[in-house]
Amino acid sequence: MKKRIVAVLLVAAMSFSLLTACRDSSENKNTVDIKQTDYDPAEEVKDFEFGELSEEEKSYTIEMGYNNCDHMVAAIIGEKAGIYEALGLKVNVTKSGETTKALISGAMDCGYIGVGASGLSQDPPYFIAAANHVGGSRYLVVSDDIDPTDPQQLVGKTIAMVAKPQENSEFRAWARDYGIPFMPEDYNIVSMGQQDAMFALKAGQIDAFVCCDPYASIAEFEGFGHIMFTSWGINRSDDDDLPESDDWSRCCTLAMNKEFEKNHPELARRLVYAHMLSVKYLYEHPYNASMMFADGFDCDPYVGLRTVYMKTVAEGRTITWEWTEANLQNDEDFDTQFTDPPIAEVDICYTEIFEASLKKATALFESAGLEHFDEFIARDVDPISPLGITFEDWYEHAKIIDGISDEDAIDISKTATPYLNENLEERAAEVPKRVTSAK
């Protein structure tokens, strides 16, 4: 009965909290016209080996979805940077928490989603078309009534999170590292989407929630919540000779409906190439990518800047288009480390579950002529945006790269979150060697 009452209160909370948008800094400009940069999508696609399109494909509108999570930013960039259009693609992009269901039903042709073991083990009508994200991060955000340095205060609180935390490797890692219980009876658990949970926290109807960005950054930016825990990627080896990308676990993906790929192989090739170019844009044009993110997620431009910095610098190079075998093994190792009780078998990401889907992804990778992600990072990103650069220095470089004047730029002087730069050298040396990290 208690949970039913809480749910009723949350519905009421939504009705008035939705009236408060996430742009409290109304003086900040929300978007910068991409035409102010020298980015030419037509020039970027010139090396792509175009195949023939049928008359049907020339007029076909591709339905693409993306979940409400910062891991999915490439979908927004592809549209707003003109990449889809330059590749001759007509793409209708929709942000939706139902993207996976739409891929299964065929209502969407492709989408940026999290793909887990339980989904792929049932041979769904979609497959992994390209990697999209590795490693961190997800957050547990608490209200101002909770001390973010005292995890024990979570016990007994109302939290929007998974219904069975004892079967969730992310929460189990938090419980282990911070000495809190992981059984559901120790909390009052409610189920809701991340955005709704953010509004519920702001309205004082819940005490904490688990999320991706931009929702954690919005809570801190607007001052109604604090990050208590951060879930990062997994380090499988201390071998410094291995590339950084091998240290992460796999996460999110660009998924594609199997029938769509079968019926429209040339459109599928072009979509995968567009995905690579969108990720490149994120790293090479960070300021404008941040503005696109802010527009796509209807949040303050500062939140967009902070989020892109986190995904491309502070955490490491977590947005990608390529996974390694180590990424898959890291995922399996992370899930199988818990034994008392173990993670449910159906939820363990065994590497063999992904094999069939990844074979199709590899074929698309080669057919589309994608280059290796690590080579791109080493050649074009590390020299201008090295790991360890401060948020402020990254911001200054980002303005220069995209030709943004100080007059047009977002003022971060009063909004920069100090802890972004705390222990920066130490964090840069550790990324991605942490499993979890407190604020």
Side-chain angles (χ1 to χ4, degrees):
M1 180 63 70
K2 181 179 180 183
K3 289 186 178 180
R4 182 181 296 273
I5 292 172
V6 170
V8 171
L9 289 172
L10 290 170
V11 170
M14 294 306 104
S15 65
F16 68 81
S17 64
L18 283 170
L19 298 176
T20 306
C22 59
R23 288 195 200 116
D24 282 354
S25 296
S26 58
E27 294 182 1
N28 274 346
K29 299 177 183 179
N30 191 47
T31 59
V32 174
D33 190 345
I34 187 175
K35 293 180 180 178
Q36 290 184 358
T37 76
D38 60 359
Y39 185 79
D40 181 1
E43 179 69 16
E44 296 298 317
V45 305
K46 69 177 183 179
D47 293 331
F48 179 70
E49 294 185 4
F50 287 90
E52 291 295 325
L53 290 176
S54 67
E55 290 304 314
E56 177 192 358
E57 288 174 326
K58 290 177 182 177
S59 60
Y60 188 92
T61 298
I62 300 166
E63 295 294 336
M64 173 187 288
Y66 67 96
N67 286 344
N68 55 341
C69 175
D70 60 337
H71 306 174
M72 320 301 181
V73 64
I76 303 169
I77 293 173
E79 178 184 37
K80 296 184 181 298
I83 294 169
Y84 299 143
E85 183 179 1
L87 283 163
L89 300 172
K90 296 181 178 179
V91 184
N92 182 39
V93 182
T94 304
K95 183 176 73 170
S96 171
E98 303 299 319
T99 297
T100 300
K101 292 181 181 178
L103 282 168
I104 293 173
S105 70
M108 285 185 179
D109 301 305
C110 60
Y112 287 84
I113 62 173
V115 175
S118 58
L120 283 185
S121 62
Q122 298 175 35
D123 190 24
Y126 62 81
F127 70 100
I128 295 170
N132 174 63
H133 182 253
V134 293
S137 61
R138 282 166 48 80
Y139 307 94
L140 189 144
V141 182
V142 298
S143 70
D144 281 342
D145 296 332
I146 296 178
D147 181 353
T149 66
D150 184 7
Q152 292 299 323
Q153 292 187 23
L154 287 174
V155 179
K157 293 296 193 294
T158 300
I159 307 177
M161 65 177 184
V162 293
K164 297 180 179 180
Q166 75 275 20
E167 297 180 4
N168 179 263
S169 54
E170 177 180 79
F171 197 88
R172 288 288 296 275
W174 283 335
R176 176 197 63 202
D177 293 348
Y178 299 105
I180 59 174
F182 53 75
M183 297 304 292
E185 57 265 27
D186 293 306
Y187 308 94
N188 184 34
I189 298 175
V190 296
S191 177
M192 64 181 65
Q194 299 175 91
Q195 188 173 31
D196 288 344
M198 177 192 71
F199 286 127
L201 186 79
K202 187 172 184 177
Q205 300 302 315
I206 63 174
D207 301 299
F209 70 105
V210 177
C211 66
C212 303
D213 251 340
Y215 306 108
S217 290
I218 291 171
E220 294 207 324
F221 172 69
E222 294 193 15
F224 60 84
H226 298 284
I227 295 171
M228 177 177 277
F229 302 151
T230 303
S231 176
W232 299 89
I234 303 99
N235 181 43
R236 180 167 170 255
S237 172
D238 291 326
D239 187 348
D240 291 334
D241 293 329
L242 289 174
E244 179 202 340
S245 57
D246 277 351
D247 289 332
W248 297 106
S249 62
R250 61 104 227 159
C251 183
C252 303
T253 178
L254 169 62
M256 194 174 292
N257 182 275
K258 292 176 181 177
E259 282 298 309
F260 168 78
E261 188 269 341
K262 177 182 177 182
N263 296 330
H264 306 290
E266 177 61 18
L267 294 182
R269 286 182 66 244
R270 296 186 187 199
L271 278 171
V272 170
Y273 199 79
H275 171 59
M276 179 187 72
L277 293 182
S278 298
V279 174
K280 283 188 173 184
Y281 188 98
L282 177 71
Y283 286 95
E284 294 181 320
H285 297 275
Y287 190 96
N288 270 308
S290 301
M291 298 304 101
M292 293 172 184
F293 181 90
D295 188 60
F297 281 87
D298 192 31
C299 61
D300 191 274
Y302 166 74
V303 172
L305 287 163
R306 165 176 156 155
T307 301
V308 170
Y309 170 75
M310 292 296 289
K311 304 310 297 177
T312 61
V313 178
E315 298 170 4
R317 316 303 191 182
T318 59
I319 302 294
T320 183
W321 61 80
E322 185 177 15
W323 289 333
T324 68
E325 291 182 6
N327 298 149
L328 300 179
Q329 187 61 52
N330 292 343
D331 215 13
E332 179 179 328
D333 291 348
F334 190 57
D335 287 343
T336 56
Q337 67 181 306
F338 302 104
T339 58
D340 189 23
I343 304 300
E345 280 289 312
V346 69
D347 293 324
I348 295 178
C349 294
Y350 291 112
T351 57
E352 57 264 27
I353 293 175
F354 294 85
E355 287 178 354
S357 190
L358 286 173
K359 283 182 180 178
K360 292 177 69 68
T362 300
L364 269 176
F365 185 105
E366 295 174 351
S367 175
L370 273 59
E371 71 169 303
H372 292 296
F373 177 75
D374 283 338
E375 293 176 3
F376 158 70
I377 291 295
R379 182 188 68 236
D380 297 337
V381 180
D382 287 343
I384 61 173
S385 185
L387 294 176
I389 190 173
T390 67
F391 178 58
E392 288 77 12
D393 286 345
W394 172 87
Y395 164 77
E396 292 299 327
H397 289 175
K399 289 192 298 181
I400 294 171
I401 290 169
D402 283 338
I404 309 300
S405 69
D406 290 339
E407 181 181 355
D408 288 334
I410 304 304
D411 181 9
I412 67 166
S413 61
K414 297 180 181 178
T415 55
T417 308
Y419 83 81
L420 282 177
N421 294 331
E422 288 180 0
N423 304 317
L424 193 64
E425 291 185 3
E426 177 183 343
R427 289 197 290 118
E430 291 179 352
V431 169
K433 300 185 186 305
R434 292 165 294 175
V435 174
T436 55
S437 174
K439 174 184 173 183

